[in-house]
Amino acid sequence: MIKKKPIPDADQGALIRTHSVFWDALHQHQRFRPQYPNENVVRFLMVHFKQALQGRKILKALDIGVGGGRHLKLLGELGFQSYGVDISAEGLRHCAEWLKQWHLKPSLFEASMTKLPFESSFFDAVISFGVFYYGDSRIMTKAIGEVHRVLKPGGKAFIIIRTTDDFRFGKGKQVEPHTFKLSTQKTNEAGTVQHFVSEKEVKSLFNKFRNLSFEKSEVSFLNRKAVNSDWLITVER
């Protein structure tokens, strides 16, 4: 069962709803519902939670922006009590149907990353792969604040966001510093608003957390003419 929570009516609400329509359209196509987990997410979970899980400790984990469910499947297989949120009803529907084939039934919520439908200090682990940059700087800041709120003291989160070296940076109308409404046709994301993060801003955005560590991951394509550039961020509350 997918539980629905209303999108906040704050000044960012219209932008969040626009992105939900965008993702509903994409999730109708199989190629936008990948089935294999990202290796960096796997590494984070195995490094920080393997011993606890092997000791049969029950840990709660949240995936923010579940998409087709690939990382929820991983969380379930590892033994987490798993939860997932997404703004796309279409994505959540496919996620629930696909995970049912693997006899996995995580708790799913149609909700915004800026207003998570959970109590404070609820989760041992939070992951979010390539989600928080969809919006302006205020949306990203609120989403990160929600991660801090729902993590237990000592809980850890792994978040992937785009750097200012990403090929999409500057490819559209500037909304605010480091934020653009994309217009490039070299990506399927034209029309979305995205915020790109500098190294200095990473430290500012996550200053409420303990033990911030981050790496840069870059993959070139088009014969090295373009680069996907991401920050791999690990934090502890």
Side-chain angles (χ1 to χ4, degrees):
M1 179 180 176
I2 299 170
K3 301 176 183 179
K4 185 171 182 177
K5 298 294 180 179
I7 301 294
D9 289 327
D11 51 355
Q12 297 95 357
L15 180 53
I16 293 171
R17 284 188 287 271
T18 297
H19 283 170
S20 72
V21 173
F22 168 80
W23 282 110
D24 278 345
L26 257 60
H27 284 309
Q28 293 179 29
H29 305 281
Q30 176 62 45
R31 73 187 187 94
F32 296 114
R33 303 194 301 269
Q35 298 184 357
Y36 298 101
N38 178 268
E39 64 183 76
N40 294 300
V41 176
V42 176
R43 186 178 298 112
F44 164 75
L45 294 172
M46 297 306 292
V47 166
H48 294 285
F49 296 98
K50 182 178 179 180
Q51 289 185 336
L53 292 168
Q54 286 179 338
R56 299 186 182 279
K57 187 176 181 180
I58 302 300
L59 301 177
K60 295 186 178 72
L62 170 65
D63 182 9
I64 302 175
V66 299
R70 60 174 175 161
H71 293 131
L72 277 179
K73 180 174 182 286
L74 172 65
L75 290 171
E77 290 173 339
L78 289 175
F80 284 96
Q81 183 178 341
S82 55
Y83 298 73
V85 300
D86 205 294
I87 58 171
S88 170
E90 185 74 10
L92 287 167
R93 183 176 68 81
H94 286 288
C95 174
E97 291 176 355
W98 183 61
L99 292 179
K100 187 176 181 181
Q101 300 176 28
W102 303 95
H103 307 290
L104 296 171
K105 295 182 179 180
S107 298
L108 298 176
F109 296 81
E110 183 182 343
S112 168
M113 61 188 176
T114 63
K115 193 173 183 180
L116 298 174
F118 307 105
E119 298 176 2
S120 299
S121 304
F122 191 73
F123 292 103
D124 301 281
V126 174
I127 60 174
S128 184
F129 181 88
V131 176
F132 285 6
Y133 46 76
Y134 285 101
D136 57 24
S137 61
R138 292 173 297 173
I139 287 176
M140 181 179 287
T141 299
K142 283 188 175 182
I144 293 169
E146 280 292 89
V147 173
H148 186 273
R149 181 183 68 80
V150 301
L151 268 179
K152 295 178 181 178
K156 294 180 174 65
F158 182 66
I159 297 166
I160 295 181
I161 53 180
R162 285 182 176 150
T163 85
T164 50
D165 293 323
D166 189 89
F167 86 96
R168 301 165 185 82
F169 182 84
K171 302 297 193 302
K173 180 181 179 181
Q174 182 168 325
V175 177
E176 62 179 1
H178 295 181
T179 304
F180 302 88
K181 184 174 183 179
L182 298 186
S183 59
T184 176
Q185 297 304 310
K186 293 182 179 180
T187 172
N188 59 352
E189 298 167 306
T192 63
V193 173
Q194 297 190 23
H195 182 67
F196 301 82
V197 180
S198 66
E199 180 175 346
K200 181 179 180 180
E201 191 180 5
V202 171
K203 298 174 183 178
S204 174
L205 284 167
F206 293 91
N207 62 5
K208 290 184 179 180
F209 293 86
R210 300 191 299 149
N211 300 330
L212 165 66
S213 64
F214 58 103
E215 304 292 342
K216 183 185 250 186
S217 173
E218 294 189 327
V219 179
S220 64
F221 60 103
L222 295 177
N223 198 23
R224 301 187 306 280
K225 293 179 180 178
V227 174
N228 287 315
S229 182
D230 299 298
W231 294 119
L232 312 180
I233 299 165
T234 301
V235 290
E236 178 182 349
R237 181 181 171 193

